[in-house]
């Protein structure tokens, strides 16, 4: 299986190195263009624009950056239910019209209770997934063209449908490991995402969701969101992890571990199980070339990293492909320089 590589666009600021620093770069319009052009020049297929309450809007940012690039696509993340699915279909159609074949989407249901309530969304987790399911059912009907009616618990549509089928249906990326999430993804997603688990853990996920998708008469692809610290020499990459740990304090780690434990995400719980929750370098290597130290202070896709020489990182990516992972949404700090490091050092090996 040939891997597909996707980079990351900063939605607030970009750290000059992992662990944060006072010289963090603001995600100005010019810097966003520079990062996108670097990813495009280095062979990445697309870029993920992650959504969050404290970030910029993903749709507007993607449209702004698309004007200054030529071929790279944008995986626009957004929360299902925060806009009507009928309006979202119109937005997708418009983006594809302005920038043909350059849009994919990442449907987010949400697991951070504080962030959900900051948006004014107090729906319980199970109801959120039922809302997401209805959202995706309507979105499919809208993008197919033709008239339809829909009556559900969260949406009612009469005489919906775009005037014609969309020129290219965007690839739908979707994440989540709970029973509710897995069923929605198996029925509607094109790519089921996971955080940076080890290859054996990822294999379990692939097997489970593949069976669910088959029960719906479908087959889907799989992707992983993981950080990368890749250098010419392995010792230089691991030296970077020592530098990151040296910046942390036990109090800082303990506080962040309490915050992450409150999230309603099984995927988050799985990657958090890969680190001991304390600064202990000997216990932060759960698998060859995988480092879980970022999970001491980071969450989600910022919990684990591929660490090593370019050849070692490529070898681990090859192992992921052998268990069924095709899509790799990777990123490094800073995003501008690391797009070249990974693009020049790792991608050619695969």
């Amino acid at each position: 299986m040939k891997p597909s590589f996707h980079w990351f666009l900063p939605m607030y600021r970009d750290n000059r190195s992992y662990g944060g620093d006072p010289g963090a770069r603001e995600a100005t319009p010019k810097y966003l263009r520079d990062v996108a052009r670097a990813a495009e020049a280095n062979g990445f297929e697309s870029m993920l624009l992650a959504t969050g309450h404290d970030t910029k809007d993903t749709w507007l940012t993607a449209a702004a950056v698309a004007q200054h690039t030529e071929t790279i696509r944008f995986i626009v993340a957004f929360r299902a239910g925060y806009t009507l699915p009928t309006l979202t279909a119109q937005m997708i159609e418009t983006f594809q019209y302005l920038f043909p074949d350059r849009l994919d989407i990442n449907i987010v249901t949400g697991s951070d209770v504080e962030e959900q309530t900051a948006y004014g969304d107090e729906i319980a987790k199970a109801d959120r997934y039922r809302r997401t399911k209805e959202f995706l059912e309507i979105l499919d009907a809208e993008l197919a063209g033709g008239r339809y009616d829909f009556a559900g618990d969260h949406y009612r549509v009469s005489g919906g449908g775009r005037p014609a089928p969309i020129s290219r249906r965007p690839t739908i990326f979707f994440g989540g490991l709970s029973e509710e999430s897995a069923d929605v993804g198996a029925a509607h997603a094109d790519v089921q995402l996971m955080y940076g688990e080890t290859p054996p853990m990822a294999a379990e996920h692939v097997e489970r969701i593949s069976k669910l998708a088959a029960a719906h008469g479908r087959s889907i692809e799989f992707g992983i969101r993981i950080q990368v610290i890749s250098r010419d020499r392995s010792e230089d990459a691991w030296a970077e992890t020592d530098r990151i740990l040296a910046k942390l304090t036990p109090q800082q780690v303990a506080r962040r571990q309490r915050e992450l434990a409150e999230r309603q995400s099984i995927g988050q719980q799985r990657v958090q199980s890969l680190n001991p929750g304390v600064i202990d370098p000997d216990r932060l290597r759960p698998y060859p070339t995988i480092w879980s130290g970022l999970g001491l202070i980071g969450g989600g896709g910022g919990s684990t990293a591929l660490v090593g020489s370019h050849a070692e990182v490529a070898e681990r990516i090859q192992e992921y492909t052998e268990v069924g992972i095709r899509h790799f949404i990777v990123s490094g700090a800073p995003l501008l320089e690391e797009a070249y490091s990974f693009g020049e050092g790792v991608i050619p090996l695969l």
Side-chain angles (χ1 to χ4, degrees):
M1 180 188 299
K2 181 180 179 181
S4 295
F5 292 107
H6 315 269
W7 199 236
F8 198 80
L9 199 63
M11 296 302 297
Y12 184 55
R13 63 169 58 95
D14 186 15
N15 290 323
R16 292 177 56 221
S17 60
Y18 281 112
D21 55 73
R25 302 169 183 170
E26 294 299 319
T28 63
K30 182 181 184 303
Y31 188 68
L32 291 171
R33 294 196 298 268
D34 290 344
V35 173
R37 286 170 172 167
E40 186 173 65
N42 282 283
F44 293 94
E45 293 185 14
S46 65
M47 307 186 74
L48 173 65
L49 290 82
T51 184
H53 184 259
D54 295 330
T55 70
K56 302 297 189 292
D57 177 75
T58 53
W59 288 97
L60 292 174
T61 302
V65 176
Q67 299 177 71
H68 302 282
T69 51
E70 297 179 359
T71 59
I72 198 163
R73 299 200 306 275
F74 299 89
I75 306 174
V76 174
F78 61 91
R79 282 173 163 73
Y82 289 16
T83 58
L84 292 171
T86 48
L87 176 60
T88 301
Q90 188 177 26
M91 294 162 65
I92 290 171
E93 181 185 52
T94 304
F95 197 103
Q96 294 285 49
Y97 171 76
L98 295 172
F99 310 104
D101 197 22
R102 297 183 62 192
L103 176 69
D104 295 317
I105 57 177
N106 175 202
I107 303 293
V108 177
T109 301
S111 62
D112 187 331
V113 175
E114 287 189 3
E115 188 166 54
Q116 298 295 129
T117 55
Y119 273 113
D121 183 14
E122 297 185 352
I123 296 178
K125 179 179 179 180
D127 289 330
R128 289 202 304 271
Y129 277 105
R130 283 190 283 270
R131 181 177 64 184
T132 297
K133 183 176 184 295
E134 290 186 11
F135 183 100
L136 288 168
E137 289 173 355
I138 294 172
L139 190 63
D140 281 340
E142 283 283 323
L143 299 181
R147 295 301 174 195
Y148 72 94
D149 297 328
F150 182 91
D153 294 330
H154 297 277
Y155 302 102
R156 300 183 73 87
V157 181
S158 178
R162 304 307 304 152
I166 191 169
S167 58
R168 174 188 175 270
R169 179 183 179 276
T171 298
I172 297 176
F173 290 78
F174 188 80
L177 289 174
S178 67
E179 290 186 12
E180 303 97 329
S181 175
D183 187 65
V184 172
H188 296 282
D190 301 304
V191 179
Q192 184 80 7
L193 289 174
M194 66 191 77
Y195 294 142
E197 302 182 351
T198 65
M201 294 169 70
E204 297 172 5
H205 189 182
V206 169
E207 181 179 9
R208 176 188 173 212
I209 306 299
S210 293
K211 289 180 179 178
L212 289 174
H216 287 282
R218 307 180 69 241
S219 62
I220 61 176
E221 295 181 343
F222 294 87
I224 193 166
R225 170 77 183 100
I226 195 167
Q227 304 288 329
V228 62
I229 303 174
S230 182
R231 300 291 184 265
D232 291 338
R233 302 188 313 159
S234 181
E235 52 264 43
D236 293 335
W238 287 106
E240 179 71 5
T241 69
D242 295 334
R243 187 196 61 77
I244 295 169
L245 292 181
K247 288 186 174 184
L248 304 181
T249 66
Q251 295 78 14
Q252 179 186 13
V253 170
R255 181 173 63 253
R256 185 56 175 157
Q257 292 298 295
R258 288 193 298 269
E259 294 171 352
L260 292 172
E262 294 176 357
R263 293 192 178 179
Q264 299 176 335
S265 168
I266 293 178
Q268 179 68 63
Q269 295 168 10
R270 283 171 66 91
V271 290
Q272 285 303 113
S273 73
L274 297 176
N275 77 71
V278 294
I279 304 171
D280 185 346
D282 294 334
R283 298 166 62 193
L284 294 173
R285 298 190 185 191
Y287 199 81
T289 324
I290 294 178
W291 186 61
S292 61
L294 291 177
L296 295 175
I297 55 169
S303 299
T304 49
L306 297 172
V307 179
S309 68
H310 301 313
E312 289 169 340
V313 169
E315 180 183 1
R316 192 61 53 237
I317 289 173
Q318 182 61 39
E319 184 178 0
Y320 277 114
T321 67
E322 291 169 358
V323 302
I325 306 297
R326 178 184 173 187
H327 297 271
F328 295 84
I329 302 178
V330 295
S331 59
L335 288 162
L336 179 60
E337 288 90 332
E338 291 301 309
Y340 281 95
S341 178
F342 188 89
E344 294 175 344
V346 178
I347 291 180
L349 301 178
L350 291 156

